[in-house]
Amino acid sequence: MNRITKILLTTGSIIAIAGGSLVVHAGGWDNFKLRYFHLTSHLNEQNQELKDIRKQGTKLEESSRITLSDLLNGGPPKDGIPSIDNPQFDTSQTTPFKGEETVIGVVINGEAKAYSALRCYEGQ
């Protein structure tokens, strides 16, 4: 094996290990995509919807009421946020909230839930 091949294999291994550790740290691939969407957006075609519309012959520049160049990245791509079909909730005994933490309480059909006000504010 020549020197360049060894360097490429070593670099590739380091990148794979670092990327894998980020996925594990985030709690899985879906959480990684949410937390690091600015990185994963490079893996997804952010302009695919515009390209699909242009393929249909629609001239967006003529039919749009906005200047298309003013559009900004809208965050995770289509299907980039996983659905919460069966959310898991903690009980009052197993919650990670501290006793003095401010929460937002919601009662629906007699079932009470508490959400951290700080985590909601920080977007977590």
Side-chain angles (χ1 to χ4, degrees):
M1 223 186 277
N2 66 25
R3 182 176 166 88
I4 294 175
T5 305
K6 287 180 182 178
I7 290 172
L8 289 174
L9 285 174
T10 302
T11 303
S13 298
I14 291 170
I15 291 171
I17 291 169
S21 66
L22 282 175
V23 171
V24 169
H25 181 264
W29 180 247
D30 288 335
N31 288 335
F32 174 81
K33 290 190 297 185
L34 288 174
R35 185 172 291 176
Y36 301 105
F37 76 88
H38 58 282
L39 297 176
T40 59
S41 66
H42 296 289
L43 302 174
N44 298 295
E45 179 58 57
Q46 293 289 316
N47 296 320
Q48 187 61 45
E49 287 85 5
L50 288 175
K51 289 178 182 179
D52 290 344
I53 291 172
R54 286 192 174 112
K55 283 181 187 176
Q56 297 171 4
T58 304
K59 296 180 180 178
L60 293 173
E61 291 78 7
E62 295 174 7
S63 61
S64 177
R65 293 183 288 163
I66 61 170
T67 305
L68 296 178
S69 62
D70 290 342
L71 294 175
L72 302 174
N73 184 330
K78 180 181 178 184
D79 298 327
I81 300 174
S83 67
I84 303 175
D85 297 327
N86 296 308
Q88 302 296 314
F89 292 97
D90 293 316
T91 66
S92 59
Q93 291 77 31
T94 63
T95 183
F97 299 155
K98 297 178 178 139
E100 66 278 355
E101 187 167 349
T102 303
V103 296
I104 298 170
V106 179
V107 179
I108 298 174
N109 295 330
E111 188 174 353
K113 303 282 186 205
Y115 301 91
S116 166
L118 180 61
R119 292 181 190 185
C120 290
Y121 178 74
E122 292 175 347
Q124 296 180 355

